[in-house]
Amino acid sequence: MKNLGQMMKQAQQMQAKMAEMQEGLDALEVSGAAGGGLVSVTLTGKGDMRAIKIDPSLVIAEEVEVLEDLVTAAFNDAKAKVETHMQEEMAKATGGLNLPPGMNLPF
């Protein structure tokens, strides 16, 4: 039984480390650019879009902010649909196995 207790302790430590990593991903911001810097996107470590910038030379200058907001909203909508799809596929793969909250596959 001593080994089981040790395994449980290690599992709890791993879970705590994973939670810390998840928090770190929320704080991380990464930018990508295209078109020689004419378009840039900033995402969190979890893939959520924080910002998009489009050089006014690419669009009608008066409508740049509207375009930026629309692109951001479209990206987040698509990402939400992908996550929903992934959850449905994971449910199929696990045979409907209900995992405890916070436990996601793949580990």
Side-chain angles (χ1 to χ4, degrees), residues 16-95:
K17 288 180 184 179
M18 292 296 291
E20 288 176 28
M21 186 179 73
Q22 292 293 327
E23 289 174 17
L25 289 176
D26 280 334
L28 177 68
E29 288 190 0
V30 178
S31 294
L38 293 176
V39 176
S40 66
V41 174
T42 303
L43 301 177
T44 68
K46 290 186 174 182
D48 295 328
M49 184 182 290
R50 291 288 168 113
I52 184 167
K53 295 293 178 192
I54 300 171
D55 189 279
S57 67
L58 297 176
V59 295
I60 300 169
E62 299 84 42
E63 298 184 22
V64 166
E65 290 178 9
V66 172
L67 179 59
E68 291 172 350
D69 291 343
L70 289 172
V71 171
T72 301
F75 173 87
N76 288 329
D77 181 54
K79 185 175 182 292
K81 289 177 181 176
V82 167
E83 289 175 352
T84 298
H85 176 76
M86 292 290 291
Q87 290 173 354
E88 291 170 353
E89 291 300 312
M90 188 60 68
K92 290 179 191 175
T94 61

